[in-house]
Structure formats: C-alpha cells, structure tokens
Amino acid sequence: MDQEINQEVEIDLVRLIKVILRKWLLISLITLASLVVAYGYAYLVLDDTFTAESSMIVQVSNDGES
C-alpha cells in the first residue's frame, strides 16, 4: 500500500520580505521594462479602434420679442 507522507511546509514571511527588499532593484527594473514594452506596443503597433464624430444643429427662432 502507498502511504501518504504529510509534510508541513512553513513559509517564513520575514524571510520573504527580506528577499523582496534585497531584490527591489531587479523587481523595479522588470516592472519598468514591462511597462515600456506594453506602452510601445499599444502606441506603435495597435491601430485606433474607437473613433467618434459629432455634429450639432442649432436652430434659432426669433419670435419678435426684444
């Protein structure tokens, strides 16, 4: 018979925060690079899909009142 082995996985939040703080520059650079690539793709590659036009007719009536 197969026996299940129950192992507890412990996550140390202080250790995770230390790793994130230690790698903050790399995280920031990757985020900035992703934003630049997404902006460049949206601005240069994608066509404008939505356009709007409007017109207005103004009707002036003069009832002889001054």
Side-chain angles (χ1 to χ4, degrees), residues 12 14 16 19 23 25 30 34 39 41 43 49-50 52 59 61 65:
D12 187 13
V14 175
L16 287 176
V19 170
K23 301 289 184 175
L25 184 61
I30 290 173
S34 300
Y39 177 77
Y41 178 75
Y43 185 72
T49 305
F50 301 103
Q59 184 176 1
S61 63
E65 297 177 18

Side-chain angles (χ1 to χ4, degrees), residues 54-60:
S54 65
S55 62
M56 182 170 41
I57 298 175
V58 179
Q59 184 176 1
V60 179

Side-chain angles (χ1 to χ4, degrees), residues 5-59:
I5 300 174
N6 292 329
Q7 293 181 351
E8 291 185 17
V9 178
E10 189 174 312
I11 299 174
D12 187 13
L13 291 178
V14 175
R15 184 175 175 209
L16 287 176
I17 291 171
K18 285 181 182 178
V19 170
I20 290 172
L21 290 176
R22 192 171 51 228
K23 301 289 184 175
W24 72 271
L25 184 61
L26 180 63
I27 294 169
S28 299
L29 289 176
I30 290 173
T31 303
L32 184 64
S34 300
L35 288 173
V36 168
V37 168
Y39 177 77
Y41 178 75
Y43 185 72
L44 298 174
V45 176
L46 294 178
D47 293 332
D48 291 336
T49 305
F50 301 103
T51 57
E53 291 184 14
S54 65
S55 62
M56 182 170 41
I57 298 175
V58 179
Q59 184 176 1

